[in-house]
Amino acid sequence: IGYRTEEEYQDWKKRDPLELLRSNLASTLKGWEEKRVAIETAVNKEIQEAVAFAKASPLPEASIGTKYTYAE
């Protein structure tokens, strides 16, 4: 965990805003868990498709690396 102690990490993990929001939504909105799973599934699918597209795409030419880097 780097320079943090395990105890400090666990303490902050309890205050994670995303986890607190997830917990709050699950306890207040009926059907939230199903919606959350559907959203996460859709997002993961989109990420996988983007990664597959990037891997299948040819590498750009080296000369394009400096395009738009410097004023012309």
Side-chain angles (χ1 to χ4, degrees):
I1 302 176
Y3 60 92
R4 303 275 185 205
T5 66
E6 180 67 26
E7 181 182 346
E8 190 175 11
Y9 172 76
Q10 292 301 329
D11 184 46
W12 279 103
K13 192 173 176 182
K14 291 176 192 172
R15 296 187 277 171
D16 180 356
L18 294 176
E19 289 301 321
L20 291 174
L21 176 62
R22 180 178 286 156
S23 176
N24 187 355
L25 289 172
S27 66
T28 58
L29 294 178
K30 185 176 181 176
W32 166 249
E33 191 60 29
E34 292 80 16
K35 290 178 185 177
R36 183 191 64 79
V37 169
I39 291 168
E40 285 185 5
T41 301
V43 168
N44 286 333
K45 181 181 177 196
E46 188 172 344
I47 291 170
Q48 289 172 354
E49 289 171 355
V51 168
F53 175 79
K55 286 182 177 182
S57 297
L59 292 173
E61 298 204 16
S63 62
I64 201 166
T66 57
K67 191 172 184 177
Y68 306 115
T69 303
Y70 302 102
E72 294 183 19

